[in-house]
């Protein structure tokens, strides 16, 4: 389900073309939220390479062993020349966890990320962007919380790296990959109404017809 989420943007992310952003004006920017829609769009890869697609939660990152987590968003309606001010993933706490946690977030370096599959090493075999975002989340204290502590830092550099690829088209898919150490436990997709991760992007379309679907 595609959602519109209201949020006041109070900061401009790094590497934004400020001149273009000023020409477009604040009113031209919109927050677009896209949630995980099917169970094969979030996945965990264990240390032995096996893939788990049906979990009710996502351990970021420690489960029975340190793992790699992938989250894929479909029908992302961003043009190749969109001005991206900010982007983040909003998680919902599934289990309270407070241990020190340090995460590395990348995106799959592909113009249309394919759905996760049960093949061994499916996540780790995907090419990641050279851009990385580091996240040391605060403790998650209450089941059901979907607040600032459950929100990633700005992922605009990762989104830009994907949508500026020549094979990107509006409506394609973006996948994010999480590695690192420690543990935060987020809700995963189970049903249409489950509190699965949401990608929120604050962006403006410049109106170019070059990559319209």
């Amino acid at each position: 389900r595609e959602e519109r989420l209201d949020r006041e943007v109070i900061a401009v992310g790094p590497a934004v073309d400020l001149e273009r952003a000023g020409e477009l004006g604040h009113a031209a920017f919109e927050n677009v939220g896209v949630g995980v829609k099917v169970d094969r769009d979030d996945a965990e890869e264990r240390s032995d390479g096996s893939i788990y697609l049906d979990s009710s939660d996502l351990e970021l990152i420690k489960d029975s062993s340190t793992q790699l987590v992938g989250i894929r968003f479909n029908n992302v309606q961003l043009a190749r020349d969109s001005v991206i001010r900010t982007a983040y993933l909003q998680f919902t706490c599934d289990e309270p966890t407070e241990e020190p946690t340090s995460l590395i977030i990348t995106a799959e370096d592909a113009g249309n990320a394919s759905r996760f599959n049960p093949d061994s090493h499916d996540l780790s075999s995907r090419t990641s962007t050279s851009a990385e975002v580091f996240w040391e989340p605060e403790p998650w204290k209450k089941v059901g919380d979907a607040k600032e502590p459950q929100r990633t830092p700005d992922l605009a550099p990762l989104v830009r790296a994907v949508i500026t690829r020549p094979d990107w088209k509006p409506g394609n898919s973006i996948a994010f990959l999480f590695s690192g150490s420690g543990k935060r436990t987020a809700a995963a997709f189970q049903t249409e109404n489950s509190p699965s991760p949401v990608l929120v992007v604050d962006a403006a379309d410049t109106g170019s017809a070059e990559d319209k679907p």
Side-chain angles (χ1 to χ4, degrees), residues 4 7 9 11-13 16-33 76-87 156 159-160 163-164 168 170 200-209 211-212:
R4 295 277 174 177
R7 183 176 69 90
V9 177
V12 177
V16 168
D17 186 331
L18 295 176
E19 183 176 346
R20 289 173 66 204
E23 291 172 355
L24 289 166
H26 181 82
F29 287 84
E30 291 185 280
N31 287 335
V32 177
V76 179
Q77 294 293 337
L78 293 172
R80 192 179 302 127
D81 60 353
S82 292
V83 176
I84 309 297
R85 290 209 294 195
T86 58
V159 175
R160 291 189 200 103
I163 70 169
T164 55
W168 171 263
V200 180
V201 181
D202 187 57
D205 190 338
T206 62
S208 170
D211 55 357
K212 301 296 183 186

Side-chain angles (χ1 to χ4, degrees), residues 5-208:
L5 304 181
D6 294 326
R7 183 176 69 90
E8 180 182 5
V9 177
I10 60 175
V12 177
V16 168
D17 186 331
L18 295 176
E19 183 176 346
R20 289 173 66 204
E23 291 172 355
L24 289 166
H26 181 82
F29 287 84
E30 291 185 280
N31 287 335
V32 177
V34 182
V36 173
K37 299 179 180 180
V38 297
D39 55 9
R40 287 199 171 192
D41 281 341
D42 52 33
E44 297 167 311
E45 180 179 311
R46 298 184 176 99
S47 58
D48 64 358
S50 60
I51 304 295
Y52 191 23
L53 296 171
D54 301 318
S55 178
S56 62
D57 57 25
L58 297 170
E59 275 84 13
L60 305 167
I61 288 294
K62 186 174 67 177
D63 194 0
S64 56
S65 63
T66 299
Q67 59 184 11
L68 183 65
V69 172
I71 305 171
R72 177 177 177 266
F73 298 92
N74 299 301
N75 194 28
V76 179
Q77 294 293 337
L78 293 172
R80 192 179 302 127
D81 60 353
S82 292
V83 176
I84 309 297
R85 290 209 294 195
T86 58
Y88 64 86
L89 267 59
Q90 181 67 61
F91 293 99
T92 298
C93 176
D94 192 68
E95 296 175 9
T97 46
E98 299 191 16
E99 68 179 88
T101 297
S102 181
L103 304 175
I104 302 170
I105 311 170
T106 60
E108 181 178 354
D109 194 8
N112 191 20
S114 60
R115 183 154 288 162
F116 302 130
N117 66 71
D119 294 346
S120 180
H121 298 283
D122 178 56
L123 301 186
S124 57
S125 65
R126 297 176 182 234
T127 302
S128 296
T129 56
S130 57
E132 298 179 331
V133 173
F134 297 91
W135 183 24
E136 294 184 347
E138 299 175 21
W140 292 9
K141 297 183 177 181
K142 183 180 178 182
V143 173
D145 274 356
K147 302 177 182 178
E148 193 76 30
Q150 291 80 38
R151 183 177 301 175
T152 68
D154 187 14
L155 303 182
L158 307 185
V159 175
R160 291 189 200 103
V162 173
I163 70 169
T164 55
R165 288 176 52 94
D167 54 345
W168 171 263
K169 294 289 185 183
N172 282 4
S173 300
I174 298 177
F176 296 92
L177 301 171
F178 289 74
S179 59
S181 62
K183 182 175 182 179
R184 293 291 181 270
T185 305
F189 177 87
Q190 292 182 285
T191 67
E192 183 179 352
N193 297 319
S194 59
S196 55
V198 175
L199 168 64
V200 180
V201 181
D202 187 57
D205 190 338
T206 62
S208 170

